[in-house]
């Protein structure tokens, strides 16, 4: 699976951006797709995740109510709609894919994921 992230940029606080992650290769319903971010000097952190087959989506507390993760199976692309952006959202955002191979699994740490996109930078000015 290859992932290509895009959509980052510079935006003022309170603004919006939509990130896209195009997937190619062998993708199927047996994957969970995630977004992570890494601010300068900080560890990469979980932002949001959704199953490729649909269903529930998951968010870190700091973005709940502001960010929405979605997917378009026909386009093999998933998205992160980011509204009400804050300066603390400034980071490089990475998309990732996890192959689900067990009934019980975790998905909120970078080590849980098998494939990564190259990252797209989001800068929110105050």
């Amino acid at each position: 699976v290859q992932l290509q992230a895009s959509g980052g940029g510079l935006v003022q606080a309170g603004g919006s951006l939509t990130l896209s992650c195009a997937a190619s290769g062998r993708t199927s319903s047996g994957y969970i797709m995630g977004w992570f971010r890494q601010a300068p000097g900080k560890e990469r952190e979980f932002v949001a995740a959704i199953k490729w087959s649909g269903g529930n989506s998951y968010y870190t507390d700091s973005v709940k109510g502001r960010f929405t993760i979605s997917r378009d199976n026909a386009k093999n692309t998933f998205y992160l709609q980011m509204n009400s952006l804050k300066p603390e959202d400034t980071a490089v955002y990475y998309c990732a894919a996890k192959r689900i191979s067990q009934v019980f699994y975790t998905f909120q740490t970078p080590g849980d994921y098998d494939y990564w996109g190259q990252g797209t930078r989001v800068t929110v000015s105050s």
Side-chain angles (χ1 to χ4, degrees):
V1 175
Q2 294 81 44
L3 302 174
Q4 180 74 34
S6 62
L10 173 64
V11 64
Q12 288 188 333
S16 298
L17 278 176
T18 299
L19 306 183
S20 301
C21 185
S24 60
R26 188 179 178 182
T27 56
S28 69
S29 60
Y31 281 81
I32 188 165
M33 319 303 285
W35 286 99
F36 285 75
R37 65 186 180 186
Q38 188 165 18
K42 295 189 176 181
E43 294 186 350
R44 193 170 298 190
E45 66 170 355
F46 172 78
V47 176
I50 189 169
K51 283 187 177 179
W52 196 246
S53 60
N56 291 341
S57 50
Y58 307 89
Y59 302 91
T60 192
D61 287 345
S62 62
V63 308
K64 285 180 181 176
R66 300 188 298 122
F67 290 11
T68 303
I69 189 171
S70 62
R71 86 270 185 264
D72 185 333
N73 293 37
K75 295 182 177 180
N76 249 19
T77 301
F78 64 107
Y79 306 94
L80 186 68
Q81 172 69 42
M82 306 185 295
N83 298 326
S84 302
L85 282 161
K86 304 175 181 181
E88 51 263 45
D89 295 318
T90 295
V92 177
Y93 283 70
Y94 297 89
C95 56
K98 172 186 172 67
R99 183 170 49 88
I100 300 172
S101 57
Q102 297 176 316
V103 174
F104 299 102
Y105 56 89
T106 58
F107 57 87
Q108 295 186 343
T109 64
D112 294 329
Y113 288 77
D114 303 295
Y115 306 99
W116 289 87
Q118 84 289 4
T120 184
R121 185 175 301 275
V122 172
T123 302
V124 184
S125 63
S126 58

